[in-house]
Amino acid sequence: MTTTITTTPTVPTPRRIDPAAAVARTTSHSSLRETWTETMAMAWRALKKMRRKPEQFFDVLIQPLLFTAMFAFIFGGAISGSVADYLPVLIPGILAQTALTVCMATGVQLREDMDKGVFDRFKSLPIARIAPLAGPMIADLIRYGIASVLTLVTGLAIGYRPGGGVLGCIGGVLLTVFAGWSLAWIFTWLGTMARSAQSVQGISMMIMFPLTFLSNAFVPAETLPGWLEAFVKVNPVSHVVSAVRDLFNHGAVTAEVGWAVVGCAVVVAVFAPLAVRSYSRKM
Amino acid sequence: MADLSAVRADGLVKDFGDFRAVDGIDLHVRQGEIFGVLGPNGAGKTTTLRMLATLLPIDGGHAEIFGVDVRREPHRIRQLVGVTGQYASVDEDLTARENLWLFARLQGLTSTRAKSIAGDLLERFGLQEAADRPLSQFSGGMRRRLDLASSLITHPPLIFLDEPTTGLDPRTRGQMWDTIRELVTDGSTILLTTQYLDEADQLADRVAVIDRGRKVAEDTPDALKTQVGESTLQLSLVDGSDTALAAGVVRRLLGEDPVLTPESGRMNVPLPDPNRAADVLIGLREAGLGISSVSVAKPTLDEVFLALTGHGADDEPQMEAAR
């Protein structure tokens, strides 16, 4: 086979837009790599917004400080006999509660954001539909991190001495961050479904309070009436709390840790596709 | 395939509950032209555009952009169309530069490339000085320019402009028009909506007039205007009861009926030639009919509407196109 080199004279076309070439360049969907880039760009946007609106950090700063101290001194004596004995029970509980509060804010903020004009542009761009949802959630990892570390530090300041050591604590914080991120998909889904930010707030409260208080976060499940104990035992928050307790207090990777991770993975597997579908439909 | 249409939409339908916002609209936009969609608030202009831009699901009919099916291949359509919204769709919490960088990144440009494109666009749209200021300090015109710049990052072959100058002052409006004209010289096709006949007149090669979700006319701006006369003579009679007599005079002189307005003794006379205004005035004086005020005006959208639909643009039900 002979190759003949045909030199086409280069026609000086000054930035002339050629629709046929543009159509030929199009792709039918975002590749995995493109999706990742798009998600990170959206995460960058969320981080910028966080830096400009520090009041967003109010919940992750105040709640760990206030609730840890308040609950420890009020309930400590009644539930565990002393504040020091209560702290190993309480700290993981507060962690879970704080993580859920951050989750709730994720849903509310997404809803507020989606009502803005810029979301029209995001929808009109050829980007993966999951990017505008997943981006802010990646930025939120920082919020979960701050909230977890702050709770732990407050605990240490009022006398908590975790038996699990440094590694146990790191493990516990990591698990909390992962659990918070996973559960946030539920609230993100709510955010894409609800009509307004206020309704997201309302519904989220109704979900968050039973999930935290009807768990073993603040009291041992054995002290509850049988029917309630049954619910508390299947509540995923209970598993996360137990797992974090095992890590913090004993540095042990127990079956509870396994269940917590599996439970969170299931939540993501169910609610992430639901959220993306509901978001794509909204348009 | 030698199909030279940029947009080919047939029988587009959109329902919002019981309300049919778009009722079988056909649009054929040729490559390289500026096509205007003219109509009052709530006529279905924005809804039509949003369907074509994949921002709203199409409830009926068929639409193709450069031969790509809008309903079946939304991701491809999004790569071909740049959308500039009625309200600036840029991020209020970011600076102009950050906005452009983000949109460029989202469209697959590397960080460095995104930075240089953002710089170029800021310069081209005269926004360098304000580039790093918060958007809250931006005027309406600056926002629109940033919004338009954001749509041009990847040089899309088709650009949608939804009421690009609504709410802008006359000077800013003129600048926006110049910018829009430049886009076409780059080879882009433009589909714009507007409420203003003069905007369509200034910019568009062809215009579709939309009323209550239907297309009532499609033509060049010149042809549309001649349907209502090149200009209009607006008359007020001293005595409202003389209206019928005056109408008779006009009919005799121009062979056409004047359009009576709701106010007593007022009428608009379509003039094929502005010089005929004098004939009408002389005719009225000879008939002994007193005139309290007189002016010659270009036809307004309202008159085009009146001529095309038999009702004014203002009688529209104020159903703002739901988003």
Side-chain angles (χ1 to χ4, degrees):
Chain A
M1 189 176 163
T2 51
T3 37
T4 39
I5 299 161
T6 44
T7 43
T8 38
T10 42
V11 187
T13 39
R15 278 231 331 247
R16 197 71 190 159
I17 292 163
D18 177 10
V23 171
R25 271 199 305 272
T26 58
T27 52
S28 62
H29 61 273
S30 286
S31 70
L32 219 54
R33 231 186 88 196
E34 284 164 349
T35 306
W36 174 249
T37 316
E38 290 152 15
T39 305
M40 290 318 283
M42 293 303 286
W44 172 85
R45 168 178 180 264
L47 281 176
K48 277 271 168 196
K49 289 167 87 90
M50 275 185 201
R51 285 222 324 244
R52 300 230 163 109
K53 291 194 175 155
E55 66 270 19
Q56 273 189 23
F57 283 101
F58 193 72
D59 55 348
V60 301
L61 296 178
I62 298 301
Q63 193 166 329
L65 292 173
L66 200 68
F67 278 34
T68 310
M70 211 169 65
F71 277 49
F73 292 112
I74 293 174
F75 296 136
I79 294 172
S80 301
S82 74
V83 172
D85 287 339
Y86 186 44
L87 285 174
V89 180
L90 175 69
I91 299 297
I94 295 271
L95 267 181
Q97 193 203 21
T98 312
L100 272 171
T101 315
V102 177
C103 287
M104 199 174 87
T106 305
V108 175
Q109 275 169 15
L110 177 74
R111 179 70 258 169
E112 274 177 1
D113 216 17
M114 277 174 64
D115 291 334
K116 289 181 189 152
V118 69
F119 256 73
D120 259 7
R121 182 170 299 282
F122 293 145
K123 285 176 194 162
S124 79
L125 292 178
I127 57 175
R129 302 290 101 175
I130 198 172
L133 306 181
M137 291 179 68
I138 287 186
D140 275 342
L141 290 178
I142 292 178
R143 283 152 51 89
Y144 297 116
I146 293 175
S148 309
V149 171
L150 210 59
T151 308
L152 190 57
V153 169
T154 315
L156 292 172
I158 57 176
Y160 177 45
R161 296 294 171 261
V166 176
L167 279 181
C169 286
I170 292 174
V173 167
L174 286 180
L175 181 64
T176 312
V177 171
F178 174 66
W181 180 83
S182 310
L183 294 175
W185 280 105
I186 302 177
F187 297 92
T188 295
W189 175 62
L190 281 175
T192 59
M193 298 267 292
R195 278 177 183 274
S196 70
Q198 280 97 328
S199 60
V200 179
Q201 179 104 26
I203 301 167
S204 303
M205 287 286 207
M206 271 162 38
I207 296 176
M208 197 196 78
F209 274 107
L211 273 184
T212 44
F213 284 96
L214 304 185
S215 78
N216 61 356
F218 304 115
V219 292
E222 299 76 52
T223 62
L224 302 170
W227 57 271
L228 193 53
E229 194 186 339
F231 175 79
V232 165
K233 289 220 161 120
V234 295
N235 184 346
V237 175
S238 299
H239 290 286
V240 173
V241 171
S242 302
V244 174
R245 274 185 195 142
D246 290 344
L247 287 164
F248 272 10
N249 300 328
H250 311 294
V253 182
T254 56
E256 282 293 347
V257 178
W259 282 120
V261 172
V262 169
C264 290
V266 169
V267 168
V268 177
V270 172
F271 286 95
L274 279 178
V276 171
R277 222 180 60 169
S278 146
Y279 172 68
S280 318
R281 273 233 194 108
K282 266 267 149 86
M283 12 192 295
Chain B
M1 199 172 65
D3 184 4
L4 284 179
S5 59
V7 178
R8 180 168 286 273
D10 295 300
L12 282 187
V13 170
K14 181 74 208 172
D15 292 310
F16 293 116
D18 288 341
F19 174 63
R20 180 153 283 197
V22 174
D23 190 5
I25 284 181
D26 304 333
L27 285 181
H28 294 169
V29 180
R30 294 174 202 139
Q31 285 185 19
E33 76 175 343
I34 301 186
F35 189 93
V37 176
L38 181 68
N41 260 336
K45 307 184 298 284
T46 301
T47 309
T48 305
L49 224 62
R50 288 176 69 83
M51 280 196 283
L52 292 172
T54 76
L55 292 174
L56 274 178
I58 297 173
D59 288 347
H62 180 83
E64 279 180 12
I65 287 173
F66 297 116
V68 180
D69 190 312
V70 175
R71 232 191 304 201
R72 248 184 263 147
E73 306 233 52
H75 197 76
R76 283 189 207 277
I77 296 297
R78 291 177 193 131
Q79 291 162 74
L80 297 170
V81 181
V83 184
T84 295
Q86 199 169 123
Y87 308 99
S89 40
V90 286
D91 199 326
E92 300 287 320
D93 299 321
L94 300 180
T95 66
R97 197 188 296 282
E98 287 166 349
N99 263 293
L100 290 171
W101 185 85
L102 173 65
F103 298 138
R105 280 295 278 160
L106 285 173
Q107 294 181 83
L109 274 63
T110 62
S111 183
T112 345
R113 186 93 188 83
K115 234 171 240 161
S116 80
I117 287 244
D120 291 349
L121 284 168
L122 287 167
E123 195 186 320
R124 180 170 164 199
F125 285 83
L127 292 168
Q128 306 108 298
E129 282 182 28
D132 301 305
R133 265 191 265 149
L135 242 55
S136 51
Q137 297 176 13
F138 271 43
S139 67
M142 285 159 83
R143 266 166 220 248
R144 294 293 174 91
R145 293 209 304 271
L146 177 61
D147 197 10
L148 183 54
S150 308
S151 310
L152 304 179
I153 290 166
T154 52
H155 302 292
L158 179 62
I159 299 163
F160 287 171
L161 302 173
D162 193 9
E163 303 201 4
T165 65
T166 299
L168 294 186
D169 61 76
R171 193 174 59 91
T172 325
R173 218 167 150 207
Q175 289 171 352
M176 198 71 180
W177 285 351
D178 290 339
T179 314
I180 293 169
R181 284 190 199 101
E182 277 171 34
L183 296 178
V184 194
T185 58
D186 280 355
S188 294
T189 306
I190 293 177
L191 176 57
L192 70 89
T193 69
T194 181
Q195 300 187 38
Y196 310 117
L197 182 63
D198 65 327
E199 182 157 285
D201 195 8
Q202 285 281 332
L203 294 173
D205 301 309
R206 285 189 308 135
V207 174
V209 181
I210 306 271
D211 176 46
R212 298 185 182 171
R214 290 170 180 277
K215 187 167 77 176
V216 291
E218 181 178 320
D219 222 321
T220 62
D222 282 342
L224 279 178
K225 277 189 301 177
T226 45
Q227 291 192 32
V228 285
E230 264 303 312
S231 48
T232 306
L233 175 67
Q234 296 172 336
L235 285 176
S236 276
L237 300 172
V238 175
D239 187 348
S241 56
D242 289 341
T243 313
L245 280 172
V249 172
V250 171
R251 196 178 315 122
R252 183 165 50 77
L253 288 167
L254 301 177
E256 228 180 308
D257 280 321
V259 183
L260 302 181
T261 65
E263 299 94 333
S264 153
R266 292 204 56 183
M267 60 180 62
N268 291 338
V269 183
L271 294 171
D273 173 1
N275 288 317
R276 302 294 304 267
D279 299 350
V280 174
L281 295 178
I282 293 167
L284 288 175
R285 186 157 68 191
E286 281 170 351
L289 300 171
I291 295 164
S292 66
S293 82
V294 62
S295 62
V296 177
K298 294 214 153 215
T300 62
L301 173 59
D302 206 44
E303 279 152 347
V304 174
F305 256 81
L306 207 56
L308 290 169
T309 65
H311 66 84
D314 294 336
D315 328 338
E316 282 304 306
Q318 285 301 308
M319 295 282 287
E320 188 35 59
R323 350 201 76 222

